[in-house]
Amino acid sequence: MSALPFDIAAASVLGREHARAGRNNQDALCVRASEHGLVAVVADGCGSQACSELGAQLGVRGLVRAALARLAAGESVDAPDFLPALRQDVLLLLARLREDLGREAVKDFLFTVVGAVMTPASTLVFSAGDGVWALNGEVRSLGPFPGNAPPYLAYALVGGDDVPLIQQALLPTEDVHALLLGTDGVVDLEQLATTRMPEREECVGPLSRLWTEDRYFANPDALRRRLALLNRESVRADFATQCVVRTPGLLPDDTTLVVLRRRMGRA
């Protein structure tokens, strides 16, 4: 496993509106490490497709596996052809699947990407489409795009736009103290900072809590439980009006994130 001195918290929650419509969580995440480095990717499947969670799951796994293979082959993340080659790896995977599943399956391969490749020397943050990433406390949103239609890598498989993997940051890993990768649902989470949590007096709080509070790294399920709590429907009896009052969950869209934090006392 990677000797990189980072603790990891990762979780995903089904969005309120997808739950109401009886749809699956169309986000995906994958985090893997080797002796060569660590790769983390989140993806959001195109909401208008029936099985877009399939493309998102295939996408994150394909990107992570391909990136680790390139690191094992001695490639450097700061090489100018690293991201173009990584993109081509994923497109070849999807093209092979299209041959087995049929051309129409490409519609389910539409997904956005936010990811990072970390080695002992360098950290690369990249994206295709919308989402959120935060580095050392500075939060950056990607999108929104016109018509709520972000660019998708798989457009290239149907003769559409040539969508690249875009470098968002490249810096020495020793300068990385906290890194968050999120789908666009994290935009809603960030805007809830002063909103009261369901059935509690406390507010949701800023995104920074996710990399400053130890509990999310001490318990591997703590982040998932936090997101689930935020999206739990609150039901209470209003005796004055003799009605049942339902308060919906706070996150309308599927919300997925990976948080990496440098271990204390480690360079």
Side-chain angles (χ1 to χ4, degrees):
M1 292 296 289
S2 171
L4 292 172
F6 289 89
D7 293 318
I8 303 169
S12 182
V13 67
L14 176 67
R16 180 186 69 222
E17 299 308 315
H18 279 189
R20 285 177 173 173
R23 306 189 71 172
N24 294 330
N25 185 340
Q26 295 176 331
D27 283 0
L29 67 86
C30 186
V31 184
R32 290 181 185 170
S34 72
E35 66 270 27
H36 305 289
L38 182 153
V39 186
V41 180
V42 299
D44 179 4
C46 176
S48 63
Q49 302 304 318
C51 300
S52 65
E53 63 269 19
L54 171 64
Q57 294 288 351
L58 290 170
V60 295
R61 284 160 175 75
L63 277 165
V64 168
R65 187 163 54 245
L68 288 176
R70 291 190 171 278
L71 294 182
E75 296 188 22
S76 174
V77 298
D78 57 7
D81 61 345
F82 186 86
L83 283 179
L86 187 58
R87 170 186 176 272
Q88 191 62 25
D89 290 339
V90 175
L91 289 178
L92 287 174
L93 167 66
L94 298 179
R96 289 194 297 268
L97 290 170
R98 179 182 60 178
E99 293 177 3
D100 295 332
L101 300 176
R103 184 177 177 83
E104 287 300 309
V106 174
K107 295 179 180 178
D108 294 323
F109 294 163
L110 302 179
F111 54 88
T112 64
V113 168
V114 183
V117 182
M118 305 183 74
T119 70
S122 302
T123 292
L124 170 67
V125 181
F126 62 91
S127 68
D130 53 18
V132 175
W133 63 284
L135 177 63
N136 297 339
E138 186 173 347
V139 181
R140 299 171 175 87
S141 295
L142 305 168
F145 293 87
N148 194 29
Y152 298 111
L153 293 177
Y155 280 164
L157 299 179
V158 291
D161 295 337
D162 188 8
V163 177
L165 289 174
I166 298 173
Q167 176 181 305
Q168 297 294 339
L170 178 62
L171 70 161
T173 297
E174 65 182 5
D175 293 338
V176 177
H177 302 286
L179 177 64
L180 177 148
L181 311 170
T183 58
D184 63 344
V186 178
V187 174
D188 298 317
L189 178 59
E190 182 184 20
Q191 294 173 349
L192 292 171
T194 59
T195 301
R196 203 178 86 175
M197 295 184 60
E199 302 178 347
R200 296 197 178 189
E201 295 300 323
E202 66 173 300
C203 290
V204 174
L207 279 183
S208 60
R209 296 181 66 173
L210 302 181
W211 57 81
T212 58
E213 296 187 6
D214 294 340
R215 56 175 168 159
Y216 296 116
F217 304 95
N219 184 335
D221 197 43
L223 182 55
R224 184 203 63 81
R225 290 206 307 256
R226 179 73 171 185
L227 294 180
L229 179 60
L230 290 176
N231 238 21
R232 184 172 65 188
E233 181 182 64
S234 173
V235 181
R236 65 178 180 85
D238 186 329
F239 295 104
T241 61
Q242 296 185 338
C243 292
V244 174
V245 178
R246 297 180 181 272
T247 303
L250 299 178
L251 298 170
D253 195 9
D254 302 336
T255 302
T256 301
L257 48 88
V258 175
V259 187
L260 299 98
R261 185 181 72 170
R262 183 174 292 276
R263 297 189 191 110
M264 300 299 179
R266 296 288 298 274

